[in-house]
Amino acid sequence: FTPSEAPQEEMPSPLVTPLRLMSIIPPAPVGQSFTSDITIRSFQGVISGEPVEYKPLMRSEATPENIAKELLAFKPRVVHFEGYLNTSTTDPNDAQIEFYFGGDFPAVSVNAFAQDLKNNGVQLLVIGRNSMAQIYENLGARAAFQLSKQGVPAVIAPMRAIDDASATTFTTEFYRAFLQGNTLESALHIARRKLASKGGDWSVFALFANPALL
């Protein structure tokens, strides 16, 4: 998917090793849950022995303040987010989509989050799952399109709700292939194929990017 209204940007510098990867897995809202432990273990397994500098922000550490601070200090090139997206029930505008980071902290608008990612040199955001999609409309695709319009070079996001096992299979296989030197498109293809081989819906995850910037 190519956002036609994406601003014209200079070509980002090529990704180099060790790749700086940040994962953001905030706590669930009250009354909701998702199996973040699975994601944490899968990340630890995938990055073991690979040329990666890894910064996890898990649960209570994944506050808006900590995220902003670590984006500035760590300068990750890839950010992985798993959590909750929300939006106004009265205003369907995509700019009203918000990223929830847990606790009593205010949600962060998609445009503000995009600006923070862009300002700190993030080249790829992966939305591993949006657990709110089990209850409400899945906002993954709309959020990805808006992030791309705001200048994030590449976003991978689920188009529909996805179960925990399939989401973990996809992200595990995607990062394994990507860290082994495959291009972004090839790593996405490999992860989709692995997911399909295990009976999952390979078409759930989509890449949003300007082809000229890949």
Side-chain angles (χ1 to χ4, degrees):
F1 294 83
T2 305
S4 58
E5 299 177 33
Q8 297 297 314
E9 300 291 342
E10 295 182 1
M11 287 288 290
S13 58
L15 294 173
V16 297
T17 56
L19 185 68
R20 292 196 294 280
L21 168 64
M22 175 188 290
S23 62
I24 301 173
I25 305 178
V30 175
Q32 305 295 332
S33 65
F34 64 97
T35 52
S36 57
D37 288 342
I38 296 176
T39 299
I40 294 169
R41 289 196 299 270
S42 67
F43 265 111
Q44 292 171 340
V46 168
I47 67 175
S48 178
E50 297 292 346
V52 181
E53 293 179 5
Y54 180 46
K55 181 66 180 180
L57 291 177
M58 307 292 185
R59 301 190 183 98
S60 61
E61 295 180 345
T63 66
E65 181 180 2
N66 282 347
I67 291 167
K69 181 178 69 176
E70 293 298 340
L71 283 172
L72 181 62
F74 185 59
K75 298 292 186 188
R77 290 298 173 259
V78 178
V79 170
H80 181 94
F81 173 84
E82 291 198 12
Y84 287 78
L85 304 176
N86 206 351
T87 192
S88 169
T89 57
T90 58
D91 186 349
N93 191 316
D94 287 353
Q96 300 302 317
I97 294 173
E98 296 177 325
F99 284 74
Y100 175 82
F101 294 117
D104 296 326
F105 299 102
V108 177
S109 75
V110 63
N111 287 355
F113 192 41
Q115 194 63 43
D116 218 9
L117 296 174
K118 179 183 173 184
N119 288 347
N120 288 289
V122 174
Q123 296 188 27
L124 170 65
L125 173 69
V126 178
I127 301 176
R129 77 193 79 185
N130 170 28
S131 296
M132 288 297 278
Q134 302 287 351
I135 305 171
Y136 303 108
E137 173 196 2
N138 179 27
L139 299 171
R142 289 173 55 193
F145 192 83
Q146 187 69 15
L147 288 158
S148 297
K149 284 174 61 178
Q150 295 301 311
V152 179
V155 181
I156 292 176
M159 303 288 286
R160 297 177 293 282
I162 185 170
D163 62 275
D164 286 332
S166 293
T168 300
T169 294
F170 174 84
T171 53
T172 299
E173 298 298 340
F174 169 75
Y175 285 112
R176 178 174 290 119
F178 193 47
L179 293 173
Q180 289 175 352
N182 289 280
T183 64
L184 179 57
E185 300 97 313
S186 294
L188 177 63
H189 175 71
I190 290 169
R192 284 172 166 173
R193 193 169 58 192
K194 291 282 189 179
L195 180 56
S197 72
K198 295 185 178 182
D201 182 359
W202 65 268
S203 68
V204 168
F205 285 93
L207 171 63
F208 294 74
N210 181 342
L213 299 181
L214 289 178

